[in-house]
Each structure stands twice: as structure tokens, then as C-alpha cells.
Amino acid sequence: MEYCLSNIVYIATSLDGYISAPDGGLDWLSSVPNPTGDDLGFSKFMERVDAIVMGRVTFETVVGFGSGWHYPIPGIVLSSTMKSAPVGFADHVQFANGSPKEIVRIAHEQGFENLYIDGGKTIQRFLNEDLIDELIITVVPILLGGGDRLFGKLGQELTFEFLGTDVMLGQLVKKHYRRKRS
Ligand SMILES: NC(=O)c1ccc[n+]([C@@H]2O[C@H](COP(=O)([O-])OP(=O)(O)OC[C@H]3O[C@@H](n4cnc5c(N)ncnc54)[C@H](OP(=O)(O)O)[C@@H]3O)[C@@H](O)[C@H]2O)c1
């Protein structure tokens, strides 16, 4: 069965391409002053997606925030080690383990067609199976010098077309690309 895929990455990176600081910290994400609390397009993006597919490490970061599941959509947490949700999360997330293709099939079977793919290793695995359709990357003007990288090795080149860019808060550059398939 052929699926109409729409798997979207929506993430912020440092100028040097990291998605977390060397200690795993994310404070740098709010290093640009945002006095009005602008959500920088996040809620609009949420309207485009049906579920978030998130790696276990990113899920643990979300749990660590201590404010519960703050997404308006359900989560599919990928892990080979974590089998049950912490208190307060069971109604929002399910766990899955398998290849990206299998994960997409599991999501589509539940009617989740447009997926938000999150987490460095998770994104890299999806890219390795050419299962990412859009990249929306916000570049924060900071050099972290280390941490978790957004991109890694690929088995093949993947070409994208540039769709547009937004400058937010005068400092953050959001770049939007769509996978170009021949
Ligand atoms: N800058 C941003 O906007 C942003 C966004 C998201 C995350 N982050 C941060 O970036 C870091 C991401 O960490 P990370 O690169 O290690 O990635 P991750 O993708 O969040 O987590 C990796 C883990 O996910 C599980 N996993 C991934 N794909 C799987 C699959 N197909 N099947 C089963 N399990 C799978 C594995 O867990 P097991 O080991 O349990 O098998 C793997 O170790 C975190 O510090 C996070 O807070 C930043």
C-alpha cells in the first residue's frame, strides 16, 4: 500500500548546526529577547500536523520541563527501552519501536497523516530512509561548539527546494524547504 507522506521537521539549530548544548541544555533557544511572548509560528504549525513522532531523549526533555504534555496533538514516542509513560503523560503518548517506515505505517493506521518528526537521532533515521518531506529550520544566532547535531551521515544525497524564509524577532531565521523528488 502506498502512503501519501507528509513528514515535517520543525526545529531550531545553532549557527553551527547543533540542536542542544554540550550539556544537553536548551536555554540558548530563548537567547533572543521575546518581550511579547510571540510563539514564533508554532501554533500555526501545529494546525498542519496530526501527531508528533518524538525520540525518547527529546521526550525525556519534555518530561523534564515539568509542565506536562504541552502539545495540542498526540505523541508517538520512539524507544527500544522505554515502555511506559511517566505520570500525567499516558493519555497523550504511545510508544513505538521499529524502522521509520514502520512508524509511519503505525501512525497512518490511526489516521495520523501529517507527522511532526522531532529529535536529532529520530530525524536522522527518517532522513536515512528518505521519509522527510519538509524541513522548517530556525537558526538561532549562537555558536554552541558542541552538543547533539541535527544532521548526520546519509546513505545518499537528498535534494530539497527552498520555499521561503522568515526573519523573526529581527534575529531568528526560519528557513523552509521541501523534498524535491524526481
Ligand atoms: N533545538 C530544538 O528545537 C530541539 C528539538 C528537539 C530536541 N532537542 C534536543 O536535542 C536532543 C535530541 O537528542 P537525540 O539526538 O539523542 O535524539 P532523539 O531522537 O530525541 O532520541 C533518540 C532515541 O530515540 C529512540 N529512537 C529513535 N528512533 C527510533 C526508532 N525508529 N525506533 C525505536 N526507537 C527510536 C532511541 O531510544 P532508545 O535508546 O530508548 O531505544 C534513541 O536513542 C535532546 O537533548 C533534545 O532535548 C532540541
Side-chain angles (χ1 to χ4, degrees):
M1 182 174 178
E2 279 298 309
Y3 292 111
C4 175
L5 302 175
S6 191
N7 300 331
I8 309 168
V9 169
Y10 186 100
I11 202 161
T13 73
S14 63
L15 269 179
D16 46 355
Y18 294 102
I19 59 170
S20 66
D23 65 356
L26 296 175
D27 288 351
W28 57 278
L29 286 175
S30 41
S31 56
V32 170
N34 184 358
T36 62
D38 190 323
D39 84 345
L40 308 173
F42 190 71
S43 51
K44 202 166 173 208
F45 171 65
M46 283 288 111
E47 292 171 7
R48 287 192 61 199
V49 285
D50 305 312
I52 176 168
V53 173
M54 173 182 286
R56 189 256 309 159
V57 177
T58 297
F59 178 64
E60 287 175 341
T61 300
V62 172
V63 172
F65 289 153
S67 52
W69 182 252
H70 55 260
Y71 303 94
I73 54 175
I76 299 174
V77 176
L78 306 186
S79 180
S80 60
T81 57
M82 191 183 248
K83 306 290 178 203
S84 62
V87 174
F89 287 85
D91 289 345
H92 302 287
V93 302
Q94 60 181 285
F95 290 87
N97 177 18
S99 71
K101 199 172 179 184
E102 288 164 338
I103 303 301
V104 169
R105 182 183 54 75
I106 289 167
H108 286 192
E109 279 175 358
Q110 299 176 60
F112 304 138
E113 294 189 344
N114 299 302
L115 304 176
Y116 170 14
I117 312 298
D118 202 21
K121 291 197 179 65
T122 299
I123 292 166
Q124 290 173 22
R125 288 185 194 179
F126 271 69
L127 283 168
N128 259 307
E129 291 195 15
D130 194 7
L131 284 174
I132 295 297
D133 301 288
E134 288 181 48
L135 293 169
I136 301 171
I137 301 171
T138 297
V139 180
V140 180
I142 187 169
L143 293 171
L144 293 172
D148 292 307
R149 284 206 165 276
L150 174 55
F151 298 118
K153 285 187 177 170
L154 285 174
Q156 59 174 327
E157 291 180 359
L158 300 175
T159 305
F160 288 79
E161 61 179 324
F162 175 66
L163 294 184
T165 189
D166 282 331
V167 177
M168 304 178 297
L169 306 175
Q171 295 290 322
L172 305 170
V173 182
K174 186 191 277 182
K175 303 178 289 182
H176 193 168
Y177 298 92
R178 181 168 56 206
R179 177 81 174 98
K180 199 171 174 186
R181 301 181 198 280
S182 51

